[in-house]
Amino acid sequence: AQSVTQPDIHITVSEGASLELRCNYSYGATPYLFWYVQSPGQGLQLLLKYFSGDTLVQGIKGFEAEFKRSQSSFNLRKPSVHWSDAAEYFCAVVQPNDYKLSFGAGTTVTVRA
Amino acid sequence: SAVISQKPSRDICQRGTSLTIQCQVDSQVTMMFWYRQQPGQSLTLIATANQGSEATYESGFVIDKFPISRPNLTFSTLTVSNMSPEDSSIYLCSVADGHTGELFFGEGSRLTVL
């Protein structure tokens, strides 16, 4: 069965500093990979996705993620965080053409001034 | 991208009652799903809402507890039956864009059971 691991439960970062959130997956084949953000009291917003091709993908709000097949990882990065980036971030995977997402446990990001 | 509206956005219910959550999409979609997010937890897939047939439930979820309707390609309902405090969660509707492979979520329905 596929699984998603987000090793970091909580990350605190200073405003303007860089951010990296880790995501590892366990799956026999390369799944489709997603990062979602959930702000307090809000629904889920898609930040970016990887299906195939260029392993460095750009998303909204200045986020990017890099797919590394050898490490089964899909880490999310942002060069300079803003206070509005404080939220819960979820990595998710799905078998191609299945559409049933498996989510990681989530990483809470706190941004300090 | 699909725009998904859920009703109610939040509700407080008494133990033993049932609540129906509605999900309306602004375009026709083939695949629609219901997820649950328990407090402080990640999201778990409850079921796939199939248009014109019975929903497909994931392990740990049963139709008697979470009956689902899907009368057409833009609408679905999830009922949480005979609620207990353990059912206090955010319930989210999701749809898949078959062309792009993207999955979109509604704002969620936050349910508190007393």
Side-chain angles (χ1 to χ4, degrees), chain A residues 32 34 36 38 41-44 46 49 51 90 94 97-106, chain B residues 31 33 35 37 41-43 45 48 58 90 92 96-98 100-103 105-107 110:
Chain A
Y32 291 170
F34 303 82
Y36 288 89
Q38 186 178 38
Q42 302 295 312
L44 286 172
L46 178 66
K49 64 184 185 294
F51 291 172
F90 293 97
V94 68
N97 301 316
D98 184 357
Y99 302 108
K100 296 180 182 179
L101 283 167
S102 293
F103 283 86
Chain B
M31 290 158 288
F33 308 91
Y35 287 81
Q37 185 179 23
Q41 303 294 315
S42 186
L43 286 84
L45 179 63
T48 303
E58 299 300 307
I90 301 173
L92 297 104
D97 184 324
T100 66
E102 293 187 20
L103 293 113
F105 286 83
E107 294 285 317
R110 184 181 295 271

Side-chain angles (χ1 to χ4, degrees), chain B residues 61-100:
Chain B
F61 297 96
V62 295
I63 188 172
D64 290 345
K65 177 66 176 178
F66 298 101
I68 290 170
S69 77
R70 179 90 190 271
N72 56 53
L73 292 176
T74 64
F75 186 78
S76 177
T77 67
L78 167 74
T79 298
V80 186
S81 303
N82 188 25
M83 289 183 285
S84 68
E86 292 71 35
D87 294 319
S88 297
S89 298
I90 301 173
Y91 293 86
L92 297 104
C93 174
S94 172
V95 302
D97 184 324
H99 297 292
T100 66

Side-chain angles (χ1 to χ4, degrees), chain A residues 27-103:
Chain A
Y27 190 66
T30 300
Y32 291 170
L33 299 152
F34 303 82
W35 275 99
Y36 288 89
V37 60
Q38 186 178 38
S39 299
Q42 302 295 312
L44 286 172
Q45 183 179 25
L46 178 66
L47 285 175
L48 47 76
K49 64 184 185 294
Y50 174 79
F51 291 172
S52 65
D54 192 347
T55 56
L56 184 64
V57 294
Q58 303 296 320
I60 63 171
K61 302 185 179 186
F63 284 93
E64 66 177 26
E66 185 171 13
F67 168 63
K68 292 185 177 179
R69 186 189 307 274
S70 61
Q71 299 177 19
S72 296
S73 68
F74 188 56
N75 294 348
L76 181 72
R77 298 192 293 255
K78 185 168 183 177
S80 176
V81 299
H82 186 263
W83 64 266
S84 60
D85 293 322
E88 185 86 12
Y89 291 81
F90 293 97
C91 180
V93 303
V94 68
Q95 180 180 355
N97 301 316
D98 184 357
Y99 302 108
K100 296 180 182 179
L101 283 167
S102 293
F103 283 86

